[in-house]
Amino acid sequence: MTRINTPKEVLALAGSSAADKLQNTAGKTLILAFLAGAYIAIGGLFSLMAGFGFPGAAEAPGFQRLLSGAVFPLGLILVVFTGAELFTGNNAVLMPGALARRYGWGKVARNWTLVWMGNFAGALFFTYFMVVLPGVLSSEMWREAACNIAQAKVSLPWSTVFLRGVGANWLVCLAVWLGMSANDVPGRMLGLFFPIMCFVVIGYEHCIANMFFIPLGMLLGAPVSAAELFAGNLVPATLGNIVGGGLFVGGLYWYLNRK
């Protein structure tokens, strides 16, 4: 029977991962972040097409969300197994080392900024060149769903997006933590799967996923402005994600398991 890593061992693994991330050059960090943004967009596209790919999806919201949630974890699985750089995962992974003063907050801010920008570039690249230009969502059913998702996300109150951002990255970073607790491929994939499925079904706000969903709707005709994209969703979702992953996972598990 495969042994799982203890919480203290997971904390040590997170510290080792953080050290590796901070040693990367800016160029390498941006490339790895670009890939992660594309991978999350792949999961988002898979989720949209599976969840809204049948008539009456809007009349069966529980089933629709279950289908969407069941396939979206592919994005994080690709990120983790390929070593890509995801902003929301780094919110937790880099926190313990900074709290333990093994490196400064400036390095954390630099990594988060580069990775956020790289994730956005990767998500936009996949959205435009791999979804919009090839007409992947040419069916009116999918196009309408994409536009409705974008409008709904920018129509939420700022505080609602922030709190949903906290919930999203609490679960995403728990998925990362569970993934590090396993020592084999099936165990790691299972650890990543359920928390991600959960946040999608609940309807929480993940800033990197929204870098795909909202621009996709905009490119397909949703009446959403760039100001609404950033001020109405990405800013509060990003801040909420930092709190959810950095405080409730990276921060608390460092506090509970530090030597």
Side-chain angles (χ1 to χ4, degrees):
M1 185 175 182
T2 304
R3 172 186 173 278
I4 66 168
N5 297 315
T6 67
K8 287 187 177 181
E9 289 171 331
V10 171
L11 186 65
L13 289 171
S16 176
S17 175
D20 291 340
K21 291 175 184 293
L22 294 177
Q23 287 177 359
N24 289 335
T25 64
K28 184 175 181 179
T29 298
L30 285 169
I31 293 171
L32 290 170
F34 176 92
L35 292 172
Y39 297 157
I40 295 300
I42 290 171
L45 178 63
F46 195 9
S47 176
L48 189 154
M49 298 187 77
F52 292 91
F54 61 96
E59 283 71 49
F63 183 62
Q64 177 271 314
R65 288 191 177 193
L66 187 64
L67 286 176
S68 292
V71 299
F72 187 82
L74 172 65
L76 186 62
I77 290 171
L78 290 172
V79 168
V80 170
F81 278 83
T82 63
E85 289 279 322
L86 183 65
F87 170 79
T88 47
N90 286 5
N91 292 158
V93 172
L94 269 61
M95 189 63 68
L99 292 172
R101 300 182 181 179
R102 288 195 289 271
Y103 42 78
W105 289 103
K107 289 188 175 182
V108 174
R110 176 181 178 273
N111 176 273
W112 286 358
T113 301
L114 287 173
V115 173
W116 194 94
M117 293 190 300
N119 288 165
F120 202 178
L124 289 178
F125 174 87
F126 182 84
T127 302
Y128 185 67
F129 288 101
M130 306 306 296
V131 183
V132 176
L133 281 187
V136 172
L137 299 180
S138 57
S139 167
E140 178 60 24
M141 184 166 50
W142 284 322
R143 192 200 66 79
E144 182 181 0
C147 292
N148 289 341
I149 290 171
Q151 289 180 263
K153 286 183 175 294
V154 300
S155 299
L156 295 170
W158 200 96
S159 60
T160 299
V161 178
F162 173 81
L163 291 173
R164 291 189 182 188
V166 173
N169 212 29
W170 194 348
L171 284 164
V172 168
C173 291
L174 282 175
V176 172
W177 238 243
L178 288 177
M180 288 190 290
S181 72
N183 292 298
D184 59 356
V185 171
R188 184 160 293 188
M189 291 181 69
L190 199 61
L192 295 170
F193 180 83
F194 281 103
I196 302 302
M197 180 181 181
C198 180
F199 107 72
V200 174
V201 172
I202 292 172
Y204 285 152
E205 295 292 317
H206 184 265
C207 67
I208 311 304
N210 290 352
M211 291 173 182
F212 164 73
F213 284 115
I214 301 176
L216 175 65
M218 294 167 68
L219 289 168
L220 293 177
V224 176
S225 68
E228 289 174 316
L229 165 65
F230 284 96
N233 188 276
L234 291 187
V235 170
T238 296
L239 295 175
N241 289 167
I242 291 172
V243 173
L247 175 61
F248 289 113
V249 180
L252 286 182
Y253 281 106
W254 168 79
Y255 177 78
L256 293 169
N257 298 289
R258 73 193 192 285
K259 293 182 181 178

